[in-house]
Amino acid sequence: MPESVVTLFESLVGAEPPHDVPVLFDTACVMGGSIAGLLAARVLSDHARQVVIVEPDDTSAEAESRSGVPQDQQVHTLLPAGRLWIERWLPGVSQEAQDRGASLVGPDKQFVGHDDIRQAPDGLDHQFLAVGRPLLENLVRARVTALPNVSVLRAQATGLRYGDGAVVGVRFAGPGNGERAEGDLAADFVVDAMGRSSRLSNWLRQDGYDQPRLERLESPVNYATALFERPVKFPELEVATVLQLFTPQYPSGGVSVAAANAIEEQQWLVMLMGYGDNRPGRTLDDFRAHCAALPAIFSEITRGGVSREVVTYRQADSRRRHFAEADRLPARLVSVGDAVASFNPIYGQGMSSAALHASCLASYLDGGADLDQAATEFFRLQQVVVDAAWAVSAGGDAARIDAENGTEVPEDVRQQRRVMEQIAGAALVDADVSRAFNNVSYMLRHPGTLFDPGLLGKAAATSEGAAAK
């Protein structure tokens, strides 16, 4: 792995807000008001006289679930990389979330386990924000829309306008008197943050530009999540976040991953995940029965009263759109968040990836971008982030599914997966390997850092020692 890629990734993770930057745009438009769109709007607020977020959902309700984010009732954890980035650009969000009952969880209250083995402590003060997705999004939205030059237009983006090879406006349709009122917003820069179902690629094809190649990794995952009352307050909890991964050999009843977070309103948000035909916990009785087959903590935290019945979610594949490969794209247009790449949510990378995509946007705009040309440099920066997240989540899913199906894979892929198995295994018992592994899992460092010769030697030695027992 080139050192430049590792260094670039870490510079994006640690980026600070700029000071005294020139105004580049009169109006910037962000299509989509979820986490990715809001963070992009925060970056654009430093460069535009006005930023308009076009969002079809009613976002006036206080911390309510909304149809535009179908997975928002599932477990969400803000990984350290995303939390630290958001704190630098929107200071105080973590504290406000805690004031509302969310948990800022240090290593003393975290449990990460593989089958029945707890991962070795890594010696670092990694902190997770355990919070319901609707509350976190509400807090971020309140901070961003409080900026004097940011506003929200409740409407659905329906297309783009072009002039001289650049995007110059966004067409939209919004609520009207019995009919959808159509309109047109002039814009000097546009961000697609319309999520996994974004139609931007289709618009580009229809409008005579390149349609970015869509890559899919078939990895059908099924989630079941329920809320339970939590009588014990956060300071008295021994564990506040739990993540358990189970090998196919573990008698988990089809549960591949189980997670639990101590969130606001003194509740446990608990999720079970299965691959393929395994759909654990679709009813409350079934949910509790599956938890009873898992490590004891899951039985304990699901004994309480039910705050919300089971909510299920199914995702058929991970997908990414290769904008960096496209030869002909309009200028003044970028895409962020799930509109570019969406992964298995269990890895918790979605919101942190959105933060790093916003960091790419800041780097691109601060670096003297030629705005009259397609944003190729932005997409190349973003590809570094997407590649890193894809290697962890999609790579892990593919290895699991291929193993369960007995799929033959090329020798180089088999060897790479063997190395990753050794690293994950060594992380259970070796603090140095655990530290390196967690830094990558938490999106603080690039996956290329795991291939340090010294680290690989430790992982191999640990694997050989375990095999000899």
Side-chain angles (χ1 to χ4, degrees), residues 55-66 137-138 141-142 145 152 154:
E55 167 56 51
D57 284 345
D58 181 2
T59 58
S60 61
E62 179 76 6
E64 291 290 331
S65 179
R66 59 189 185 87
E137 187 175 298
N138 182 265
R141 179 179 297 107
T145 56
V152 178
R154 190 180 176 196

Side-chain angles (χ1 to χ4, degrees), residues 30 41 50-54 144-145 147-153:
V30 179
Q50 66 170 335
V51 180
V52 181
I53 302 170
V54 178
V144 173
T145 56
L147 296 170
N149 59 339
V150 178
S151 62
V152 178
L153 170 65

Side-chain angles (χ1 to χ4, degrees), residues 18 21-26 43-49 149 362 365-366:
V21 295
V23 173
L24 301 175
F25 316 116
D26 181 51
V43 169
L44 287 169
S45 70
D46 291 326
H47 297 278
R49 291 185 176 85
N149 59 339
L365 294 176
D366 296 340

